[in-house]
Amino acid sequence: MGKWSRRAFISAGVLAGGVVVFGVAIRPGNRADKVAGLIAGEDDTVFNVWVKIAPDNRITAIVPHAEMGQGVHTTLAMMLADEMDADWDLVDFMEAPAHKEYANYALAKGYAVGDVDFPSWLIDTVDGFFLTATKAMNLQITGGSTSVPTTGQAGMRVAGAATKAVLLQAAADSWKVPLTELSAQKSMIVHSGSSKSATYAELAGAAAELSQPVKPVLKTPDQYTIMGTDVQRFDVPPKVDGSARFGIDAVLPGMKYATVKASPVFGNAVKSFDESSIQDMPGVRKVVNLGDAVAVVADGYWQAKKALDQLAIEFERNGNETVEQSDIFNQFAADMDRAVSDGEEITDFEKGDAGAAMSSADSVVEAEYRVPYLSHAPMEPMNCTAWLHDDVCELWTGTQNPLGFAAEVASALDMDTANVQLHNEYLGGGFGRRAFPDYTIQAARIAAEVPYPVKLIWSREEDMRHDHYRQASISRFKAALDSSGKPIAWINQYVEKYDPAEAPHIPYGIDNQFIHYAESKTHVPWGFWRSVDHSLHAFFTESFIDEVAIQAGDDPYKYRRNLLEQAPRFRDVLDLAAEKSDWGAPLPENWGRGIAIHRSFGTIVAQVVEVEIVDGTVFPRRAICAVDAGFAMHPDGMKAQMESGIIYGLTAALFSDISIRHGAVAQSNFHDYQMLRMNQSPEIETYIINSGEKVGGAGEPGTPAIAPALVNAIFNATGKRIRELPVRLHDLTNEDLKSKDVA
Amino acid sequence: MINLTINGEPHELDVDPTTPLLWVIREQAGLNGTKFGCGIAQCGACTVHLNGSPIRSCRTPVQAVAGKEITTIEGVGSIDGELHPVQQAWIDEQVPQCGYCQSGQVMSAVALLAKNPSPSDRDIDLAMSGNVCRCGTYPRIRRGIKKAAIAMNGVADSGEKING
Ligand code: FES
Ligand code: FES
């Protein structure tokens, strides 16, 4: 828990207008009142912004994060309910309305004078909004695997414990008995010395008059009754019968439909189009020029799409029309060369003297790797329904950042943020894409031109060609080995750094390290993609350490293990994955096994992949995953996230590349940006270590290690080292590649 | 005017006959459980049943199904609201993540089990590979199908080995 005091809390809350609201120590008559109208039904007592108790003793956990399938509503509710000793059967959840009182940045900034970890990319984003959008906080982000480690640990649990404390106090006051004789169990306060008991609801009114403790005592893991169990997720039943409402399912009276086409070369302005060529087409209502895109509004999506497809649009040229993917990689390579020759390396991490160690090496291993741009391609294409009426802009969409979106829309329409109301629906996949508000701003701007609500739906083609892409990159390595094969120096240069800062760092005990990078900007828009920079650096570093191990004549698992002597937590995770995979046991012909380990978002994951190569096609048959996230709040949910992260990572490693042709994205839909499907999906086994270390994330850490584990397995099966993703680009049919001594 | 039956209810629709069935289901019939994912028959999010067989409604012009029986996710359970065994297995195995693909997955799985009460892993691969799940719920979908198969075959058949 961070070091914070009542004083810090109260003053910060008063001064920064919402910045320090995080659901604990909210006194009646204070902050909670501002949001009471939004969340409380008649007769509900709002204790603070995270929890309410209804007269029927049902407790609602108010969760400030979007549900995109990671089970966050359930997990955060569990954390609150456990600390409250609530009866789980009487617990509901509600997604916090898009209101600045819920900004989870508050959690970090107001509270985190101590050790609450917050990813730096999020801070930057927040500060950006903070400075440009409003003076208030406009953030309620779901991303960076932060929900459980920050909101859950520092918000929900503290709020639950604080609420329980005042309920106990209220009972003690009204029964005139000492607190020590009272206990909380299943949403009741019970007095041990008599038969007295009362429900939380009965005590709620009196408890709300009391000051909540600033530092309530939290449970230790042996006291958990809900955390660590596999309760059923709240969001599953509506997702099996079609009743779950996603952004795309919004329906409003008189609503029309729109679809949009932006300049294929990013950012070019619309030059001309002939509106009259489509205005008589059936159902067409309006054509809207958005500056860098044209939208058609019609009675139905299909009519809008057909008309837009027929509309010839000319865009301005900005000079990027001649850029090809090969130019981008050439530019990267040249900028990397130049950084070194000009002595302009940007240091990422340095330890010892890698250059000197290199010259005393017994042998040197070198390799260069490449990864392509990637698109998020969530199953639900971008969409937003917007309606401007009575000076208000209402929005229905799925977003990882509802407050930020509302602020951006307000600034695009030159409105007061308070007049933008965003209704966040289920997200049909996020993966980082739904942290960018472009589609929402478009919808609002179209709606501003018409007197009725408009549902904007992007075609899949638009979705793929106007994403914010995971960067392409090159990474170069040089390792020095001593005569025993042990690495004594590690030099790594890569291009383009985003976040998190530690993504390229290695856990291995190598005395001399120099990790540096070069900048090389392109015109391709960048975005957070599941696990962000970890998604490329784990592929780079864990492929290279494999190459080093092979060069040293050692077993890839044992070699790593020997280098993890000073990192016992990593070693335990690696050992578990190796053990569960029967590492070393013989495999059939054309099969191979590979291993990798990586830490991201506070969670360590080791994975072993077994592949079978059938006529040159790679079939990942089995994936073994060991994970240490400190403590798994919802073990089955943790497993689901590992499965998801693995398949997302395998899809990218095997198939995915976004490439630039004539300045635009060449791919357009699932036929040329392929997805892993059932027939190539491995069996997945996940093993959880509850080490008791600080709680880490789950949504992203499953992804980084799987690509290197896969290519290491392919090497094991075929003797072919894949240094450029995706695997699809490589011919694996050549039997001659198979080197018997690596099997 | 085009006539068709959706989940047992007759509909008389005034639409362009080339409109894909998907948009008719969503916008005219107001049934939002069937999803748009790609529009080119590559992802299966829009899967519905045409006289019991799974089709991709995003590439099926509505005129092609005139006079036919369409079933969507909303019509797959029993009339009194009881879930189909596939839906129940989906809850038991906690299959969905974001959930967006799952209407299509359930429709494909229901059609598979109607035809083949004890599918092997290979049968599941063949029947389900047209349905993309970006959240990677495939291992759970496989388990869900096997579980539903056992439930549907009843106790008498449960001795029969299900492959895989
Ligand atoms: S939307 Fe029909 S198959 Fe993708
Ligand atoms: S559950 Fe998200 S796409 Fe399948």
Side-chain angles (χ1 to χ4, degrees), chain A residues 239 249 643-644 676-677, chain B residues 35 42 97 135 138 140:
Chain A
K239 289 176 176 176
D249 300 328
E643 292 160 10
S644 176
L676 188 83
R677 292 166 184 270
Chain B
K35 299 300 192 222
Q42 286 283 323
Q97 290 196 22
C135 300
Y138 303 122
R140 286 169 191 248

Side-chain angles (χ1 to χ4, degrees), chain B residues 63-84:
Chain B
Q63 64 191 358
V65 299
K68 308 255 168 69
E69 294 261 353
I70 302 296
T71 308
T72 70
I73 185 71
E74 290 89 349
V76 91
S78 69
I79 306 180
D80 55 13
E82 206 181 304
L83 295 176
H84 187 280

Side-chain angles (χ1 to χ4, degrees), chain A residues 476-546:
Chain A
R476 294 170 175 166
F477 290 89
K478 208 168 162 184
L481 311 189
D482 67 13
S483 56
S484 71
K486 192 172 150 13
I488 52 171
W490 173 278
I491 297 179
N492 175 206
Q493 184 198 27
Y494 62 93
V495 70
E496 286 291 85
K497 183 179 184 70
Y498 291 93
D499 228 34
E502 69 279 8
H505 302 174
I506 51 171
Y508 303 115
I510 300 175
D511 291 339
N512 304 290
Q513 296 184 27
F514 182 36
I515 303 173
H516 60 101
Y517 64 98
E519 276 174 356
S520 190
K521 295 286 172 227
T522 71
H523 74 295
V524 182
W526 176 86
F528 317 110
W529 187 94
R530 197 171 193 169
S531 82
V532 204
D533 279 7
H534 289 287
S535 70
L536 47 148
H537 286 292
F539 167 68
F540 297 148
T541 57
E542 283 296 290
S543 292
F544 187 61
I545 197 72
D546 220 69

